[in-house]
Amino acid sequence: IASPVALDILPLKLHPFSQSTPTGLDCVGWKRRISVPVIADGALDKTALTDDVGSEEDLYEDFRSSNHRYGHPGGGGEQLAINELISDGSVVYAEALWDHVTMDDQELGFKAGDVIEVMDATNKEWWWGRILDSEGWFPASFVRLRVNQDEPMEDYPLKVEGGKEDDSRRFGMGQTTKDQMRTNVINEIISTERDYIKHLKDICEGYIKQCRKRADMFTEEQLKTIFGNIEDIYRCQKKFVKALEKKFNKDHPHLSEVGSCFLEYQTEFQIYSEYCNNHPNACMELSRLTKVNKYVYFFEACRLLQKMIDISLDGFLLTPVQKICKYPLQLAELLKYTNPQHRDFKDVEAALNAMKNVARLINERKRRLENIDKIAQWQSSIEDWEGEDVLVRSSELIYSGELAKISHPQAKSQQRMFFLFDHQLVCCKKDLLRRDILYYKSRINMDDMEILDVEDGKDKDFNISVKNAFKLHCRDTEEVHLFCAKKPEQKQRWLKAFENERRQVQLDQETGFSITEVQKKQAMLNASKQHHAGKPKAVTRPYYDFLMRQKHPTLPTTLPQQQVFMLAEPKRKPSNFWQNISRLTPFRK
């Protein structure tokens, strides 16, 4: 017998420090309660989704007919289990994944790796915890529950005088205890991998499959934007989990040798780079679509039909990003409980380094993609541009500065601004009256050039005296370009920059880094729109703000300072793009 099940449509923002009174609520809006026919075993009645029955308005009539809200504010099974443990008097520890920097005295600040005692997890988004004598609220998404809850707090990690870890206590525990710790970590790796496969399957079959049936609602381009290459990830992960299960020793889990699996799949895990780079676009597209009620109802119906847990689509789409972050953490914990004599020790150690490298590669690719918009904006500010766009061949500004360029046949010296990108060196001229305007003059293909250091004195090729000079020599045409810097240190910086340019090109070839034609065109289109607007575009963080708004609804009112893509290591080296060109006047208009 079908019975109605109520669905939450829009969560209220409730501050943890306030009471459940009108003054303690920041009401975002109210929706009517809605009902969806559900058969007794919990599956959605498929007739409610059939395209042939009635119009689209009829399809969503049941959803519109009542007045509840969307998205349960309550937690899932894991949260209930945590609260049961706490209420039974057990101590529950969580490990920080990212730094949580806060100026609010009611929030708990910590660094990645800190261990927090969880004292209250009744709110899904913000938990109450303690570190030493400090207590406060902290975002639940910033931590993971420790696998080995029975490990003493003081051993995590244990420090002695001089700041070194006390190996005697840390590794002096009985072999059985350490084996049990390793068993716990192995079991967590296997179980979370199986759960993850289930999530990927639900996304592919529960959402993508249903969306493709509705050509009237979604184009293929939209689906590519929303879901990225998640189907490729699903296929890869299915093979990976099979490899893990083959290495899993059911009778003695601590003897399992899983390190080799990560080493085998380290290259294939690089497909996460494309997904992570696209994820901001997915969030933006979802944000746009869910402003229309029929998309909200459709996505919720897909979730119920697939019997998926109560997480919104944007939450499911975040799981691959979180997963690639988690591998180095799991492997670090596995290595901690693996004896050096264990057959798996060397492979786990190598796997940890490999997965850290994968994480770094993804971070680097994301940074490069962020740079292409800035490069497109730079090009749009240059007057009289000729030839192909910079982005056709380049994606990174290596160095820039002013040099004297000496040309044949009169050996005439000209002051020019030079911008060294991967594959090319762009030459510009400053306006005589308005020094904040640059005119395009020429470019040099760096792939054909070799760098020659020139000693101070008379140059035989140009028959002039030079100082702080170097040459670019074309191997194919024997063409030579002579440049002079004002100071010796400037010359050395340029020589170093040319080395870095060749190194960057080689690294891109080895890792297969490339920018799609769609990304290049979109960057140039955005820059063109901005240029015609006549004023610089404000620097915003819509993706970051969207994500934080979804995960942390004003509990507390200040947003935690998280960077989603600081994968295994929270402190990422900042991009030097703007440092390289911030001193240039075109950007001061």
Side-chain angles (χ1 to χ4, degrees):
I1 301 173
S3 60
V5 58
L7 302 175
D8 285 343
I9 290 298
L10 222 103
L12 295 175
K13 296 181 178 180
L14 178 61
H15 198 285
F17 315 121
S18 61
Q19 302 298 320
S20 298
T21 63
T23 56
L25 292 174
D26 175 17
C27 187
V28 198
W30 296 90
K31 293 286 181 182
R32 296 181 300 249
R33 191 172 190 81
I34 60 173
S35 299
V36 185
V38 175
I39 59 178
D41 63 357
L44 185 67
D45 184 355
K46 295 187 181 181
T47 58
L49 292 175
T50 309
D51 292 338
D52 348 352
V53 183
S55 65
E56 185 178 272
E57 286 73 19
D58 296 332
L59 178 64
Y60 300 114
E61 188 57 40
D62 284 337
F63 290 107
R64 297 193 185 100
S65 64
S66 49
N67 62 356
H68 200 31
R69 301 172 295 115
Y70 177 66
H72 291 297
E78 185 186 56
Q79 189 183 2
L80 279 171
I82 297 167
N83 284 315
E84 283 179 14
L85 283 171
I86 294 170
S87 61
D88 289 343
S90 300
V91 180
V92 177
Y93 292 121
E95 183 182 358
L97 301 179
W98 291 283
D99 294 356
H100 179 222
V101 183
T102 178
M103 301 299 289
D104 192 328
D105 58 3
Q106 296 189 75
E107 289 184 37
L108 184 66
F110 48 73
K111 293 185 177 180
D114 285 353
V115 176
I116 303 136
E117 181 184 346
V118 182
M119 303 173 71
D120 183 359
T122 50
N123 185 281
K124 183 168 66 173
E125 309 294 346
W126 288 83
W127 293 353
W128 183 268
R130 175 168 60 201
I131 299 176
L132 300 177
D133 297 329
S134 302
E135 293 187 15
W137 295 100
F138 63 91
S141 61
F142 277 42
V143 302
R144 66 191 282 262
L145 291 178
R146 274 175 52 190
V147 181
N148 294 305
Q149 291 289 338
D150 52 340
E151 182 185 4
M153 178 72 169
E154 58 271 17
D155 284 349
Y156 201 88
L158 187 66
K159 299 284 181 180
V160 295
E161 281 187 53
K164 295 181 180 178
E165 292 187 7
D166 185 349
D167 290 345
S168 63
R169 281 191 62 189
R170 188 174 175 188
F171 293 110
M173 63 183 79
Q175 184 64 37
T176 306
T177 305
K178 191 166 183 180
D179 287 349
Q180 183 57 50
M181 297 295 192
R182 191 173 201 273
T183 294
N184 293 346
V185 180
I186 290 286
N187 285 337
E188 189 214 38
I189 290 173
I190 298 294
S191 65
T192 54
E193 206 61 38
R194 288 168 178 164
D195 290 342
Y196 179 48
I197 286 291
K198 174 70 166 60
H199 283 320
L200 293 176
K201 180 182 178 183
D202 286 342
I203 293 168
C204 294
E205 296 184 3
Y207 284 106
I208 300 178
K209 193 174 178 181
Q210 295 296 337
C211 289
R212 284 189 175 134
K213 293 178 182 177
R214 296 305 304 262
D216 57 318
M217 292 176 68
F218 304 96
T219 64
E220 272 302 317
E221 187 177 346
Q222 277 181 310
L223 294 182
K224 180 66 177 172
T225 301
I226 295 170
F227 299 102
N229 64 334
I230 202 166
E231 290 173 304
D232 295 334
I233 290 174
Y234 178 40
R235 284 189 284 269
C236 172
Q237 291 295 148
K238 279 197 294 186
K239 292 187 291 181
F240 177 66
V241 78
K242 283 180 182 176
L244 276 180
E245 286 172 341
K246 282 181 183 177
K247 296 288 186 177
F248 180 54
N249 188 325
K250 293 180 182 178
D251 297 327
H252 305 287
H254 68 281
L255 297 178
S256 302
E257 299 174 28
V258 298
S260 58
C261 299
F262 288 92
L263 292 173
E264 182 184 348
Y265 281 84
Q266 61 177 308
T267 304
E268 290 174 64
F269 282 146
Q270 291 180 16
I271 62 173
Y272 277 85
S273 178
E274 180 184 337
Y275 186 85
C276 293
N277 290 332
N278 177 70
H279 189 249
N281 301 328
C283 289
M284 291 305 157
E285 183 65 19
L286 269 181
S287 179
R288 189 182 68 81
L289 291 179
T290 51
K291 289 175 183 174
V292 182
N293 281 343
K294 71 174 184 178
Y295 287 99
V296 175
Y297 304 143
F298 178 81
F299 289 139
E300 180 63 4
C302 289
R303 185 184 72 80
L304 290 170
L305 181 62
Q306 191 67 18
K307 301 180 187 177
M308 298 165 74
I309 60 174
D310 186 16
I311 298 177
S312 59
L313 177 55
D314 65 284
F316 279 109
L317 293 179
L318 186 62
T319 51
V321 180
Q322 293 172 327
K323 189 63 181 177
I324 204 68
C325 301
K326 197 173 182 182
Y327 283 138
L329 299 168
Q330 287 179 323
L331 287 167
E333 197 161 6
L334 182 61
L335 186 63
K336 176 180 173 182
Y337 297 113
T338 304
N339 280 318
Q341 296 78 24
H342 197 293
R343 290 174 57 181
D344 201 25
F345 183 83
K346 287 186 178 178
D347 281 347
V348 172
E349 192 173 42
L352 173 58
N353 291 327
M355 294 312 297
K356 281 183 177 179
N357 287 334
V358 170
R360 275 192 284 268
L361 176 64
I362 292 172
N363 269 337
E364 174 63 13
R365 289 186 173 184
K366 180 179 183 295
R367 183 189 65 78
R368 294 282 293 281
L369 283 177
E370 288 170 349
N371 277 350
I372 68 171
D373 286 326
K374 299 171 187 175
I375 292 173
Q377 290 169 22
W378 171 82
Q379 181 184 316
S380 70
S381 73
I382 305 297
E383 301 291 337
D384 300 339
W385 186 269
E386 293 179 9
E388 64 185 18
D389 295 331
V390 178
L391 292 177
V392 171
R393 304 189 62 221
S394 305
S395 61
E396 177 90 343
L397 175 67
I398 309 295
Y399 192 67
S400 63
E402 198 165 356
L403 291 168
K405 183 175 185 291
I406 300 167
S407 309
H408 277 308
Q410 295 89 9
K412 183 180 176 183
S413 176
Q414 298 172 315
Q415 286 296 122
R416 296 286 184 261
M417 282 298 306
F418 289 91
F419 300 85
L420 178 61
F421 296 89
D422 51 311
H423 299 289
Q424 59 187 314
L425 179 69
V426 178
C427 173
C428 295
K429 176 186 177 181
K430 287 183 179 180
D431 187 90
L432 291 175
L433 298 177
R434 289 191 57 185
R435 308 299 280 175
D436 61 338
I437 295 178
L438 290 177
Y439 294 90
Y440 174 85
K441 300 305 291 180
S442 63
R443 76 182 87 191
I444 296 172
N445 181 2
M446 293 305 299
D447 294 340
D448 299 332
M449 295 292 163
E450 62 176 340
I451 317 300
L452 302 175
D453 192 354
V454 178
E455 293 182 1
D456 292 351
K458 191 164 186 177
D459 181 76
K460 59 182 181 180
D461 292 333
F462 287 78
N463 198 30
I464 59 170
S465 293
V466 294
K467 193 174 182 181
N468 307 320
F470 60 87
K471 291 178 182 176
L472 296 182
H473 171 247
C474 181
R475 302 179 189 90
D476 297 333
T477 64
E478 297 300 323
E479 183 182 5
V480 178
H481 304 272
L482 178 63
F483 302 89
C484 293
K486 290 180 180 178
K487 298 178 181 178
E489 54 268 27
Q490 291 177 343
K491 170 186 170 179
Q492 292 305 316
R493 282 197 287 267
W494 274 104
L495 294 177
K496 184 67 177 175
F498 288 123
E499 289 179 15
N500 292 339
E501 185 271 337
R502 286 294 90 190
R503 193 178 298 116
Q504 185 69 67
V505 169
Q506 185 178 354
L507 182 63
D508 288 347
Q509 290 172 347
E510 291 171 357
T511 59
F513 176 80
S514 62
I515 298 171
T516 66
E517 291 301 318
V518 173
Q519 290 168 329
K520 293 174 187 176
K521 288 178 182 176
Q522 188 61 50
M524 293 307 301
L525 181 63
N526 293 341
S528 175
K529 287 178 181 177
Q530 178 181 323
H531 184 62
H532 291 311
K535 60 180 180 180
K537 191 174 182 180
V539 179
T540 60
R541 300 193 298 169
Y543 166 57
Y544 175 84
D545 293 339
F546 170 82
L547 187 66
M548 302 314 295
R549 189 167 63 248
Q550 295 296 311
K551 301 298 168 191
H552 308 294
T554 67
L555 289 171
T557 51
T558 55
L559 292 178
Q561 300 176 22
Q562 177 189 17
Q563 292 289 336
V564 173
F565 288 94
M566 292 188 179
L567 302 170
E569 298 171 359
K571 293 184 179 177
R572 184 177 62 192
K573 190 175 181 181
S575 168
N576 60 2
F577 183 94
W578 288 115
Q579 286 88 329
N580 285 346
I581 58 178
S582 61
R583 63 181 182 278
L584 301 179
T585 48
F587 291 88
R588 297 178 190 150
K589 284 198 266 187

